[in-house]
Amino acid sequence: MSVETKQPAYTLVFDPSTGGESYTVSELQKALEKGSEDEKVAAMKHILVMMLDGNPLPELLMHIIRFVMPSKNKKLKKLLYFYWEIVPKMDEEGKLRHEMILVCNAIQHDLQHPNEYIRGNTLRFLTKLNEPELLEQMVPSVLTCLEYRHAYVRKYAILAVQSIYNVSEHLIPDAKDIVYKFLEDEMDPICKRNAFVGVAELDRESALKYLEENIVNIEKIDPLLQSVFVEFIRKDANLTPSLKDQYVALLLELLNATTYDDVVLETALALTLLTPNTTILNASVSKLTDLADRVSDNNVKLIVLDRVQDINNNNPGTLEERTLDILRLLNSEDLDVRSKALDISLDLISSRNAEDVIQLLKKELQITVTNNEKENAMKYRQLLIKAIRSIAIKFSEMAESVISLLLEFISELNSVATCGVISFVKDVIEKYPQQRSVILTQLVSALDNIKSAKAYRGALWILGEYSESSSEIQASWKHLRTSMGEVPIVQSEMRKLNKNDEDNGEETKDEEAAKPSGPVILPDGTYATESAFGNEDISKKVSNSEKEERPPLRRFILGGDFYTAAILASTIVKLVLKFDKVSKDKHVMNALKSEGLLILVSIIRVGQSSLVERKIDEDSADRIMTTISILMDENDPNEKSSERSLLDLAFIEATRESFKNQLSLSKRANLRRSVKDVVKNADTIETAISFRQFAHSNVGAIEKDTVEEDLNQAIHGDASDFAAKQTSSRLKKIVPLTGFSDPVYAEAYITNNQFDVVLEVLLVNQTKDTLKNLHVQFATLGDLKIIDNPPSTNIVPHGFHRITITVKVSSADTGVIFGNIIYDGGHGEDARYVILNDVHIDIMDYIKPSVTSDERFRTMWNEFEWENKISVKSDLPSLHAYLEELTKGTNMGVLTPQESLGEDDCRFLSCNLYAKSSFGEDALANLCIELDSNTHQVIGYVRIRSKGQGLALSLGDRVALIAKQSNKIELSRI
């Protein structure tokens, strides 16, 4: 028998069974009858858990009445009232059970008990009863408790009166008058609060009357009563819109007068629901930000900021004046609070306050640089740079000052932040052509301070693309030449090493004096030479301080970063091609070409030597050799115009056009998001205009009470989940645990919740005998834990029995639940076993596709240590078909824009995927596949990274399963 879904569960009870042990009914009866007080307490806890699992245990009712109800033990009495809440009080015909008469007598005695806490606990129990037959006998005692000396009793007595009246009005017909009189006479604040709640629910007119009588001194009233006043006003304004203006004025007065944080929060939220007036909304948000700034609890700060964001979403464009107030929360040390405050402020920025916000963020950025040792300083700095970047892109007049600000701090930033600054410079220099000259000058002056090779590559691309005039090209070239240092690199570095060796040799002068001086003559009569290409240890002779003193490009190249050298080669060709267009000075042109050739040849030579930490790779060498050949061909007077146009297309036009397309795609995505926000709060053109003078009485009703919505969602859950619990979808999750020929047939319906799995198991006795002492045992593999094993039971011939097992899930790893059914054999026979089928927990129920930024993806990719690399070999017809199957099978979202994935018939595809589990685990994936031209198969690799090993392996199994399913052989004929 399962618990009815309509029956409420009032109290959470801790399950004391840590080892999963179970008790029979006879053992529980014995513990209640002959056990000590502690044993009875333990037995009652087991009984409560078993009943909540669906077993009503009717055999124990009389034992509890006889052996537990007379006890004076406080713990036992508290558990007893929990038991009375959930025990079935009606028989099969719907009539009150005879045993409950004894229970009524005991409850009446407790209502007259001299201990106020027992009285209060009993009255609290009465608020949860819904049976008029039981409550009828309690009414006189409850009314007597209204005058009890102790406030603990009175506060529950008034709630009990309200609850009894709601169950059946004829039990206390004058309940309204009783509650109102109690409210006027009572002095205790908690009792007055409970009384006003009762008056507001039972008699609105009386509540309104009491509110009018206390309006004058509302700021002096206890905060508990102020809170219920605010709640009453918020609800009543929806029912009687004619009073809304007076309610708003009253709440505004209370908001300015009260000093209690909880009242400030509730009053401000009520005001934002009652009126869209800009002045009142700004006053409410100002109080909310003061509250968030004043309290120390970061959770409260986040809750308040969430509410402010909701207010802004519902009333766009009204909170612009509160931008700097919200940014005061940047004083918090919590990174989540700072991030939330920045996100809200960015939505509120306009041209009027953009400069003030930039100045404030600049001060915060300076603080992060000076206090670099603080925790999360680096992450906070990245948040600030991202915020400053978004402001400058939105307001062109701020771009120049912002870029100078960020380039000023670029030497103090880490690699990720520096790359963000360079990316921002790219966006601004493309979007605002009139500022390109100034930005290029600032960038060139700041390049010497860049320590990140990736950021420097981005800066080189900017110099090559946006140096247009002759002076700009020569200024960029001058920086490149300075940043390379002395060339040829091999000879200059060898001279430095030889000079260092001579300096070191002076210290061992006596030892060197014994050796012959002068050049070394070989046996064939030639002089010996020292080469940088044969000595493997030359790069190790340079100290770290000397490496840091090198110019940026020279440091990167000698450090083995030849990808940067390849970007430099492309930049040199771009500058040469552009200078040839804008200038006719052949002398300068020839000087640029010769100097460019010298630099590139020097890079090739040093890449093959032992001066570098890593030898040059083949791809970089090919790219540099290609640019050398292009510069050499530039000297050919017979070069055709078509060849020259192809060069311009490849090096000048195509890259700029590609970047423009990327920016336009990003702009369209931002527009789509902003349009969604506008549409969410916009009225359609067909919406009727309502005039207050001609409207009905409910015209001013609140369209959406967000406070009530949040409360209903917390109590009843999301309505969208209802469809998932329908019978048609339930049938899909039924798993057979045994076969139809087994003596006991078992099947389980599996429900996946956020942090646990619930198995509702149906057991069917298929024999003609009663199965005695039958119990089901479960065990798990993986990060699963059985919360409780069900107790043993007896099943009559061809009878049914239902049990519920809860399995706790702690991570999104693959888990297996297995077990068996045990029951007693015949007379003198051993116990009999039925082995259950394994139940595999599908991790896809805990993994959801998600979205993250490219910077965040790269950061996590570098941090996560577990990687699972899976080879791909599939017979699917196209690369996009495989990508679709991969996202469907792994529940991962594609981060790469659709435009970058290529056409449907492309032969190569690479993209990033991301998902997040219910437990907060991040799963990253990189797909790199191609279409084999010979076999027409999809081949390549999927690399999965996660913080834990289990998630990476589980997703890898899903990827392997996709390959198996797609490579099934179809049988055409036999």
Side-chain angles (χ1 to χ4, degrees):
M1 174 179 178
S2 61
V3 180
E4 295 180 5
T5 56
K6 294 182 180 180
Q7 181 180 352
Y10 293 109
T11 309
L12 296 177
V13 180
F14 170 68
D15 182 8
S17 56
T18 55
E21 66 271 12
S22 59
Y23 293 86
T24 62
V25 173
S26 59
E27 289 175 341
L28 292 172
Q29 288 176 340
K30 183 179 179 181
L32 294 176
E33 184 176 351
K34 298 181 180 180
S36 62
E37 296 290 337
D38 292 337
E39 290 175 344
K40 289 182 179 180
V41 168
M44 284 298 296
K45 288 183 178 180
H46 287 294
I47 291 169
L48 290 172
V49 172
M50 291 167 64
M51 291 181 68
L52 291 174
D53 283 339
N55 191 348
L57 300 176
E59 307 92 340
L60 296 178
L61 178 59
M62 282 308 299
H63 276 73
I64 290 175
I65 292 175
R66 291 173 57 196
F67 303 111
V68 177
M69 202 164 63
S71 174
K72 296 182 180 180
N73 185 284
K74 303 296 189 299
K75 288 184 179 180
L76 207 53
K77 189 172 286 293
K78 188 174 183 179
L79 292 173
L80 179 63
Y81 277 106
F82 291 158
Y83 175 78
W84 296 141
E85 289 181 30
I86 60 176
V87 68
K89 303 171 185 65
M90 302 292 181
D91 56 19
E92 296 177 354
E93 298 178 359
K95 296 181 180 180
L96 190 68
R97 282 184 159 187
H98 298 297
E99 295 90 339
M100 299 311 294
I101 298 174
L102 300 174
V103 177
C104 290
N105 293 332
I107 294 174
Q108 283 184 325
H109 285 303
D110 286 341
L111 287 174
Q112 299 169 3
H113 201 282
N115 188 310
E116 60 270 14
Y117 295 105
I118 292 179
R119 279 203 190 197
N121 189 49
T122 308
L123 289 165
R124 182 171 56 185
F125 161 71
L126 293 182
T127 62
K128 303 171 185 178
L129 278 182
N130 293 316
E131 291 78 17
E133 297 88 344
L134 283 174
L135 292 172
E136 186 175 5
Q137 305 175 40
M138 314 294 175
V139 171
S141 300
V142 171
L143 295 177
T144 304
C145 290
L146 288 174
E147 301 175 358
Y148 193 73
R149 67 181 188 280
H150 204 287
Y152 184 81
V153 176
R154 298 198 303 272
K155 73 175 182 179
Y156 285 120
I158 195 66
L159 292 178
V161 170
Q162 174 192 345
S163 176
I164 293 171
Y165 183 81
N166 289 333
V167 172
S168 181
E169 295 182 5
H170 76 275
L171 295 179
I172 311 180
D174 56 342
K176 298 178 182 179
D177 298 333
I178 292 174
V179 176
Y180 188 77
K181 186 177 184 305
F182 181 86
L183 175 62
E184 289 185 323
D185 299 339
E186 184 58 52
M187 300 301 296
D188 183 77
I190 299 179
C191 296
K192 289 180 76 70
R193 181 257 177 208
N194 291 354
F196 186 81
V197 170
V199 171
E201 184 173 341
L202 301 180
D203 188 2
R204 174 195 168 271
E205 295 299 330
S206 298
L208 195 58
K209 176 185 174 184
Y210 186 81
L211 180 62
E212 291 174 354
E213 292 173 354
N214 292 271
I215 282 178
V216 180
N217 299 320
I218 192 170
E219 67 275 3
K220 299 179 181 179
I221 295 176
D222 189 90
L224 290 173
L225 202 55
Q226 289 181 353
S227 297
V228 293
F229 279 174
V230 173
E231 184 179 359
F232 170 75
I233 290 172
R234 176 173 53 79
K235 293 179 179 178
D236 193 61
N238 196 23
L239 300 174
T240 54
S242 58
L243 296 175
K244 184 183 291 186
D245 292 339
Q246 290 133 327
Y247 281 152
V248 169
L250 178 60
L251 289 177
L252 198 57
E253 181 184 350
L254 178 61
L255 182 66
N256 294 326
T258 186
T259 57
Y260 303 103
D261 292 343
D262 53 342
V263 180
V264 169
L265 177 63
E266 294 178 15
T267 308
L269 294 180
L271 278 170
T272 59
L273 292 173
L274 294 181
T275 176
N277 184 282
T278 303
T279 305
I280 296 176
L281 288 177
N282 277 278
S284 302
V285 172
S286 176
K287 286 289 185 178
L288 289 175
T289 51
D290 290 342
L291 170 62
D293 190 29
R294 185 169 62 251
V295 299
S296 59
D297 191 342
N298 291 325
N299 293 321
V300 176
K301 294 178 186 286
L302 289 172
I303 290 171
V304 172
L305 287 174
D306 282 334
R307 294 303 186 187
V308 172
Q309 191 170 35
D310 292 339
I311 296 169
N312 181 51
N313 293 337
N314 296 328
N315 305 276
T318 58
L319 302 181
E320 180 185 316
E321 299 176 5
R322 304 272 71 85
T323 306
L324 295 177
D325 291 344
I326 295 171
L327 286 175
R328 280 188 300 161
L329 293 175
L330 295 179
N331 297 328
S332 173
E333 294 295 329
D334 187 74
L335 193 63
D336 293 332
V337 175
R338 288 171 164 175
S339 176
K340 193 75 174 178
L342 284 173
D343 291 342
I344 297 172
S345 301
L346 291 179
D347 292 337
L348 305 178
I349 288 178
S350 66
S351 56
R352 287 181 292 181
N353 58 12
E355 187 173 355
D356 295 333
V357 173
I358 287 290
Q359 292 300 323
L360 190 148
L361 296 182
K362 178 181 178 180
K363 291 179 182 177
E364 289 293 321
L365 192 61
Q366 290 173 335
I367 292 173
T368 63
V369 173
T370 54
N371 298 333
N372 195 29
E373 68 280 356
K374 280 193 174 184
E375 187 181 3
N376 292 328
M378 191 178 299
K379 293 181 180 179
Y380 180 43
R381 193 182 306 153
Q382 293 174 18
L383 286 176
L384 291 172
I385 291 173
K386 186 178 179 181
I388 294 173
R389 170 182 172 180
S390 61
I391 296 172
I393 290 176
K394 189 184 292 185
F395 305 103
S396 59
E397 63 273 12
M398 306 296 301
E400 184 178 341
S401 61
V402 166
I403 286 179
S404 62
L405 164 66
L406 295 180
L407 292 178
E408 180 184 344
F409 289 105
I410 204 165
S411 60
E412 307 291 339
L413 304 179
N414 63 344
S415 176
V416 177
T418 307
C419 292
V421 171
I422 297 299
S423 176
F424 162 63
V425 174
K426 279 186 189 179
D427 296 344
V428 173
I429 206 170
E430 173 60 36
K431 192 173 182 180
Y432 307 115
Q434 67 276 11
Q435 299 183 5
R436 284 177 185 170
S437 179
V438 178
I439 294 175
L440 276 174
T441 304
Q442 294 175 344
L443 180 62
V444 169
S445 61
L447 280 179
D448 289 333
N449 298 322
I450 295 180
K451 300 176 182 178
S452 166
K454 182 179 179 182
Y456 202 94
R457 291 195 291 268
L460 288 177
W461 186 88
I462 294 174
L463 296 182
E465 288 294 332
Y466 297 102
S467 298
E468 303 289 350
S469 65
S470 175
S471 58
E472 291 172 354
I473 294 172
Q474 291 188 42
S476 300
W477 191 277
K478 182 179 179 181
H479 167 76
L480 297 181
R481 185 65 187 82
T482 306
S483 185
M484 278 299 301
E486 185 181 354
V487 288
I489 301 175
V490 174
Q491 285 78 359
S492 63
E493 288 295 317
M494 289 302 299
R495 281 199 301 272
K496 289 181 182 177
L497 289 172
N498 291 334
K499 184 179 179 181
N500 291 337
D501 290 342
E502 291 176 3
D503 294 340
N504 295 332
E506 292 179 0
E507 299 176 1
T508 56
K509 195 171 182 181
D510 296 337
E511 297 179 6
E512 295 292 334
K515 297 182 181 179
S517 60
V520 179
I521 302 175
L522 298 176
D524 59 355
T526 59
Y527 289 105
T529 58
E530 184 178 3
S531 172
F533 299 96
N535 192 342
E536 296 294 334
D537 297 322
I538 292 180
S539 63
K540 299 179 181 178
K541 294 182 180 180
V542 184
S543 64
N544 291 331
S545 60
E546 290 177 342
K547 291 179 181 179
E548 292 296 326
E549 291 173 358
R550 290 168 176 167
L553 275 174
R554 194 182 191 91
R555 182 171 68 248
F556 299 144
I557 292 170
L558 291 175
D561 186 0
F562 288 98
Y563 180 43
T564 303
I567 302 299
L568 171 66
S570 299
T571 304
I572 289 174
V573 173
K574 289 178 184 179
L575 294 177
V576 169
L577 293 176
K578 287 187 174 184
F579 189 84
D580 191 29
K581 284 186 176 182
V582 299
S583 176
K584 302 298 181 183
D585 192 339
K586 296 295 182 183
H587 296 290
V588 177
M589 185 67 186
N590 290 333
L592 292 179
K593 289 180 181 178
S594 59
E595 201 165 29
L597 288 170
L598 177 62
I599 291 173
L600 297 179
V601 171
S602 177
I603 292 173
I604 292 288
R605 292 283 292 166
V606 76
Q608 297 169 347
S609 72
S610 298
L611 290 170
V612 293
E613 296 178 8
R614 289 184 300 274
K615 296 292 182 68
I616 188 170
D617 57 283
E618 189 176 344
D619 290 340
S620 299
D622 286 345
R623 291 187 67 179
I624 296 174
M625 290 302 296
T626 302
T627 55
I628 291 175
S629 63
I630 291 172
L631 292 177
M632 296 289 290
D633 289 343
E634 284 289 304
N635 297 321
D636 186 3
N638 299 322
E639 183 182 17
K640 296 180 181 179
S641 60
S642 60
E643 295 178 357
R644 181 56 183 264
S645 62
L646 285 175
L647 278 178
D648 292 342
L649 175 65
F651 282 92
I652 299 176
E653 299 172 10
T655 52
R656 177 83 67 85
E657 195 64 31
S658 175
F659 184 60
K660 285 181 179 178
N661 292 337
Q662 181 182 345
L663 287 181
S664 63
L665 291 175
S666 175
K667 185 177 180 180
R668 282 202 293 271
N670 292 333
L671 284 175
R672 281 196 295 269
R673 283 196 294 269
S674 61
V675 166
K676 284 182 180 177
D677 294 338
V678 172
V679 169
K680 190 189 303 181
N681 298 292
D683 293 329
T684 60
I685 195 170
E686 298 88 359
T687 304
I689 301 174
S690 70
F691 296 91
R692 188 180 62 220
Q693 289 83 354
F694 308 120
H696 296 289
S697 60
N698 63 344
V699 66
I702 302 172
E703 295 180 2
K704 185 171 64 173
D705 192 339
T706 55
V707 177
E708 290 297 319
E709 283 185 355
D710 292 345
L711 185 60
N712 289 331
Q713 188 171 354
I715 296 173
H716 304 296
D718 194 348
S720 61
D721 294 339
F722 180 74
K725 299 177 182 178
Q726 297 302 305
T727 305
S728 58
S729 61
R730 287 173 65 95
L731 293 174
K732 298 177 183 177
K733 292 193 174 184
I734 292 179
V735 178
L737 299 179
T738 62
F740 290 109
S741 60
D742 288 319
V744 180
Y745 173 73
E747 64 182 22
Y749 168 66
I750 303 174
T751 303
N752 293 93
N753 299 318
Q754 186 174 6
F755 299 112
D756 59 26
V757 177
V758 179
L759 274 66
E760 297 179 22
V761 182
L762 171 66
L763 302 172
V764 182
N765 180 4
Q766 301 194 107
T767 67
K768 297 179 181 180
D769 302 321
T770 298
L771 301 182
K772 298 180 180 180
N773 199 22
L774 182 143
H775 56 279
V776 185
Q777 294 180 338
F778 284 99
T780 60
L781 288 176
D783 287 339
L784 305 176
K785 180 184 177 183
I786 302 292
I787 300 300
D788 52 357
N789 273 315
S792 59
T793 186
N794 300 330
I795 305 181
V796 299
H798 304 291
F800 294 79
H801 183 68
R802 293 180 185 273
I803 58 174
T804 303
I805 296 94
T806 304
V807 183
K808 182 181 178 182
V809 184
S810 56
S811 69
D813 298 347
T814 300
V816 180
I817 303 174
F818 57 94
N820 52 54
I821 300 173
I822 308 173
Y823 58 93
D824 294 342
H827 182 67
E829 297 181 5
D830 295 333
R832 297 180 180 177
Y833 293 82
V834 178
I835 307 300
L836 302 179
N837 296 330
D838 294 345
V839 177
H840 293 263
I841 302 302
D842 190 1
I843 65 165
M844 292 301 104
D845 291 326
Y846 297 98
I847 295 178
K848 304 297 179 187
S850 188
V851 179
T852 187
S853 63
D854 291 340
E855 294 84 359
R856 172 80 176 143
F857 183 90
R858 295 192 194 100
T859 303
M860 289 190 292
W861 188 268
N862 293 329
E863 290 176 353
F864 292 170
E865 54 188 13
W866 290 103
E867 177 175 315
N868 191 4
K869 187 175 182 180
I870 305 101
S871 299
V872 174
K873 192 172 184 181
S874 174
D875 294 326
L876 289 171
S878 67
L879 303 181
H880 283 267
Y882 183 83
L883 176 60
E884 185 178 351
E885 289 295 324
L886 181 66
T887 55
K888 191 185 301 181
T890 59
N891 278 1
M892 301 190 80
V894 180
L895 297 180
T896 307
Q898 185 65 34
E899 295 79 4
S900 303
L901 295 178
E903 302 293 334
D904 291 340
D905 57 348
C906 62
R907 303 192 63 84
F908 178 81
L909 189 147
S910 178
C911 67
N912 294 329
L913 300 97
Y914 176 68
K916 202 174 184 69
S917 75
S918 302
F919 310 96
E921 300 169 305
D922 298 294
L924 315 177
N926 174 259
L927 173 67
C928 188
I929 51 176
E930 63 177 333
L931 203 60
D932 195 314
S933 56
N934 297 324
T935 61
H936 299 287
Q937 286 184 320
V938 177
I939 59 173
Y941 294 96
V942 178
R943 297 168 64 193
I944 300 171
R945 286 195 180 185
S946 66
K947 202 167 188 178
Q949 181 184 16
L951 184 57
L953 293 176
S954 300
L955 286 174
D957 294 340
R958 298 291 299 189
V959 175
L961 183 62
I962 294 170
K964 291 179 182 178
Q965 292 174 346
S966 62
N967 295 339
K968 288 181 180 178
I969 300 176
E970 295 184 3
L971 189 63
S972 58
R973 61 188 177 85
I974 299 177

